[in-house]
Amino acid sequence: LQKVHVLPQTVLYIADAKTFSGHEECHEQKKARKRNSKETAIALEQLLPKRCQVLGLVTPGIVVTPMGSSSNQPQEIEEGEAGFALLFPKIDGVKIHTFHFSKDLKNRVFDESKFAEAGLKNNPDLRVVILFGYNFWKSGATRFFHQIVNPLNEKSIILAGGQVESFTSLTSENHSAQPGDACGVVGLAFSGPQIQSATVLLDQDVADERTVEAAMQRLKAANIPEHNTIGFMFACVGRGYRHYKTKRNMEADAFRKFFPHIPLFGFFGHGEIGCDRIVTGNFVLRECNDIKDALLHSYTTVMTLIHLGSTK
């Protein structure tokens, strides 16, 4: 068994801003110097196989289950250096694709043919899209973001994610570092008939242990298999211990209570993407009407489960 190695095909890594722009000791000059985020990204990605798809993100805070083990408690790390990497090997019946859409400064209308190129259109096996906006504060960013999200707002697809500070993927020509004056969207698309997923939205009114656990109960009611499943938490920087009146790790603890065997990963960001949505079995949303869901939020938390199917 010591000679068996599973190589990743897709890697998602997320670290907080201090990890990428902190200080490190410069041995030549015997003093600390400020790290360059590009240097940090290159150092991380040199550890990975050259052919794997890599998406790296920088965020204000991190949610992580150490070593991805169910024996470890998920942690909300709102301050200090932290990060994680999810390494996805080849999985029978599952395809994971990275994508990147950057706002064209010359055209106001987004070319939707790019969706098909990214496997986000005319793909009956598409089940989950995890997407992240960057440079959201730029002029026209909100409009561009709606151009990406609205066509994907289908009842048979789970959408979740949030606004990050930047992305740092450098290993693919299609995912080079973003232009400083542009805004865009990057993400992962999960396709495969065996995938099951669900999300719940914790809005501003969810502000104590009772209401947090009620949201976790809604997620639990989706009956997503816990084996071979990962959890994602995308929270606003305004939540965490500030929102819960100095009580830390409230939402991660509630997740662990209801899902003791599922590792949880995510971040604190500047805006959230998601809603209450369940895609299982016959892959339809359990709701009473066909009204489009509101997907873009602030001061909320989105909890997501992704089941990748049974393993042999």
Side-chain angles (χ1 to χ4, degrees):
L1 290 177
Q2 293 178 348
K3 296 181 180 180
V4 176
H5 300 276
V6 179
L7 294 178
Q9 288 199 334
T10 307
V11 176
L12 170 66
Y13 72 84
I14 303 178
D16 75 320
K18 290 184 179 179
T19 299
F20 273 82
S21 60
H23 290 77
E24 64 183 7
E25 183 178 344
C26 180
H27 295 289
E28 291 80 6
Q29 300 178 0
K30 300 297 181 181
K31 64 180 181 179
R33 70 178 181 87
K34 190 171 184 179
R35 284 196 299 266
N36 179 286
S37 61
K38 186 175 181 179
E39 293 176 347
T40 305
I42 291 174
L44 285 171
E45 292 168 6
Q46 283 179 341
L47 302 174
L48 302 169
K50 292 183 179 180
R51 293 184 179 181
C52 70
Q53 304 178 98
V54 180
L55 176 58
L57 303 172
V58 178
T59 61
I62 296 296
V63 179
V64 62
T65 302
M67 302 303 293
S69 172
S70 61
S71 62
N72 292 322
Q73 184 78 15
Q75 300 175 11
E76 299 175 18
I77 304 176
E78 301 179 60
E79 300 170 350
E81 295 187 19
F84 65 85
L86 293 179
L87 283 66
F88 296 94
K90 181 179 180 180
I91 304 171
D92 290 342
V94 175
K95 292 184 179 179
I96 305 175
H97 294 288
T98 58
F99 60 86
H100 175 206
F101 304 127
S102 181
K103 185 177 183 295
D104 189 337
L105 299 178
K106 298 180 181 179
N107 298 316
R108 288 179 57 84
V109 179
F110 178 74
D111 182 3
E112 291 193 12
S113 67
K114 295 180 180 179
F115 282 131
E117 297 174 9
L120 301 177
K121 190 175 182 180
N122 302 322
N123 179 4
D125 288 333
L126 181 63
R127 297 289 180 260
V128 183
V129 180
I130 307 294
L131 61 167
F132 313 101
Y134 64 86
N135 281 356
F136 55 92
W137 47 272
K138 290 287 186 179
S139 175
T142 300
R143 183 175 182 274
F144 177 76
F145 208 59
H146 278 285
Q147 290 179 327
I148 302 300
V149 172
N150 290 346
L152 297 175
N153 192 0
E154 300 180 12
K155 304 305 182 185
S156 61
I157 301 173
I158 292 293
L159 292 179
Q163 302 281 5
V164 301
E165 293 198 357
S166 61
F167 84 97
T168 61
S169 294
L170 302 169
T171 58
S172 169
E173 61 184 1
N174 294 324
H175 303 144
S176 58
Q178 74 273 19
D181 59 350
C183 62
V185 176
V186 294
L188 298 174
F190 295 78
S191 301
Q194 67 196 37
I195 296 174
Q196 298 183 45
S197 185
T199 65
V200 294
L201 178 71
L202 285 66
D203 61 23
Q204 295 183 52
D205 293 334
V206 177
D208 56 33
E209 187 174 6
R210 179 186 60 83
T211 51
V212 172
E213 291 192 357
M216 295 304 105
Q217 287 176 329
R218 295 203 311 274
L219 191 59
K220 187 76 173 180
N223 292 318
I224 301 296
E226 292 196 20
H227 179 66
N228 206 24
T229 296
I230 54 176
F232 285 104
M233 172 179 163
F234 305 114
C236 177
V237 292
R239 291 183 73 88
Y241 71 89
R242 299 174 185 86
H243 182 68
Y244 292 104
K245 299 178 181 178
T246 72
K247 187 169 183 178
R248 295 180 179 270
N249 228 63
M250 175 78 79
E251 294 173 346
D253 285 346
F255 180 90
R256 175 58 176 262
K257 178 178 179 179
F258 287 88
F259 304 98
H261 304 298
I262 298 178
L264 182 67
F265 302 94
F267 59 76
F268 290 89
H270 303 287
E272 302 77 57
I273 307 163
C275 63
D276 278 30
R277 182 172 291 186
I278 302 169
V279 176
T280 64
N282 59 355
F283 304 114
V284 295
L285 173 66
R286 299 172 185 168
E287 65 173 23
C288 300
N289 55 61
D290 294 325
I291 299 174
K292 289 285 188 180
D293 294 297
L295 292 174
L296 305 183
H297 310 278
S298 58
Y299 299 106
T300 63
T301 296
V302 175
M303 289 287 192
T304 305
L305 297 177
I306 303 177
H307 172 65
L308 299 174
S310 60
T311 55
K312 297 180 179 179

